[in-house]
Amino acid sequence: MVKKLKKAAGYLSVLLGTVLAVYAGIWRMIVRPLAGLYMAFRAGELTVVCVIAAFIKCWLSMTVGGLIWCIGYMIKCMLDA
């Protein structure tokens, strides 16, 4: 019974890590900078600095999303052991 609970908690941690990675990595860190880039373009205030900043934010978002997912997966691995 305890082994099944640990396995379920492990899968729940992977699921939670995936959901948080999508929310933080994609929504908060990719969509918002790209929306800001679009709004700057529409307002006529788009600069090279804005484009570079958005590129850096998008690049870092992949790292943060991967880190969040890896933490959930490591918790699963610890519970399976």
Side-chain angles (χ1 to χ4, degrees):
M1 181 71 173
V2 173
K3 187 167 178 109
K4 287 184 180 183
L5 284 175
K6 283 186 177 183
K7 192 169 196 94
Y11 285 118
L12 183 64
S13 71
V14 170
L15 179 65
L16 185 62
T18 303
V19 169
L20 288 175
V22 167
Y23 174 71
I26 293 176
W27 176 249
R28 300 280 296 178
M29 296 181 75
I30 287 182
V31 173
R32 291 176 77 190
L34 291 179
L37 207 60
Y38 175 73
M39 296 299 286
F41 174 74
R42 297 283 294 171
E45 300 173 358
L46 186 63
T47 63
V48 173
V49 175
C50 290
V51 173
I52 291 172
F55 176 76
I56 291 171
K57 287 179 184 179
C58 290
W59 180 67
L60 288 175
S61 73
M62 297 300 171
T63 305
V64 170
L67 173 69
I68 293 169
W69 182 84
C70 283
I71 290 171
Y73 186 74
M74 285 189 296
I75 291 171
K76 178 196 175 293
C77 290
M78 288 188 306
L79 290 173
D80 284 347

